[in-house]
Amino acid sequence: VTEGFVETLVPLAKDTGWAQEMDLNAAVRATDYTTSGYVTTWKIGATYSLIDDIRFRGTYSRDIRAPHLADLFQAGTTSPNTIRDPFNNNVNANNRVTTTGNPTLGPEKANTLGLGVVLQPSFFPRFSLSWDYYRINIRDAISSLNAQQLIDLCYTGVQSACDKFTRIID
């Protein structure tokens, strides 16, 4: 991994008539993974307090998770399993599942929004209440389907799922 970043905190207001405190924060990171390529991540956020007792905060960011070595290069592990076979009247069938890595995986990407309020009333010492909202939209998520999901998808006609297993009928 080769990466570089820049991060800043910019005070916009302090002890004014309209703000006890207001800050802008931002960051950008450039990352080059030898196994999965180049990505840029960033964030922009702000905090605002009209009075000391309440603080609002918000952040919007582009985040990533790169595949780890097992996601990419796992040689293969086999384990026993039981599935419900929709091709055979939903009878339980024993099978062996082999899990391998996928060297063509790239980083998963997410756009994340976070909003929050912190209450620290001066009339209630040492009390702090935080409320946070977040929304995360992920693209290109790194995940895998289990054997039951694959056979169910195949049964519904998803040919790419059928290519992932071999049925052997006794």
Side-chain angles (χ1 to χ4, degrees):
V1 176
T2 303
E3 64 184 347
F5 69 94
V6 175
E7 191 166 350
T8 188
L9 174 66
V10 180
L12 300 175
K14 179 102 173 135
D15 299 325
T16 68
W18 56 274
Q20 182 71 29
E21 186 175 55
M22 184 172 177
D23 296 322
L24 175 72
N25 60 75
V28 65
R29 179 179 300 264
T31 308
D32 188 18
Y33 297 96
T34 58
T35 54
S36 57
Y38 175 85
V39 291
T40 301
T41 54
W42 50 267
K43 78 165 188 166
I44 186 146
T47 59
Y48 173 73
S49 297
L50 177 60
I51 58 174
D52 286 336
D53 295 16
I54 186 168
R55 181 173 60 248
F56 299 94
R57 60 182 177 222
T59 303
Y60 189 67
S61 63
R62 162 54 69 89
D63 308 300
I64 63 105
R65 182 181 80 86
H68 55 72
L69 292 175
D71 290 333
L72 295 165
F73 305 116
Q74 182 175 354
T77 57
T78 301
S79 58
N81 193 14
T82 302
I83 60 168
R84 178 190 43 77
D85 187 352
F87 291 99
N88 190 17
N89 296 319
N90 291 322
V91 171
N92 284 339
N94 294 324
N95 65 35
R96 289 186 318 268
V97 175
T98 301
T99 305
T100 62
N102 180 352
T104 65
L105 289 174
E108 61 185 27
K109 300 166 195 73
N111 291 330
T112 305
L113 172 67
L115 302 172
V117 177
V118 179
L119 301 174
Q120 294 175 306
S122 55
F123 62 84
F124 196 173
R126 299 184 348 186
F127 176 81
S128 181
L129 175 69
S130 177
W131 173 85
D132 290 287
Y133 165 84
Y134 61 90
R135 184 187 71 223
I136 303 171
N137 294 321
I138 299 175
R139 283 186 319 150
D140 302 325
I142 298 169
S143 65
S144 59
L145 298 173
N146 64 38
Q148 188 66 60
Q149 291 168 318
L150 286 170
I151 199 164
D152 289 345
L153 286 169
C154 178
Y155 185 73
T156 62
V158 179
Q159 187 58 45
S160 60
C162 300
D163 297 340
K164 303 295 181 206
F165 63 90
T166 303
R167 293 183 73 237
I168 300 172
I169 301 178
D170 296 331

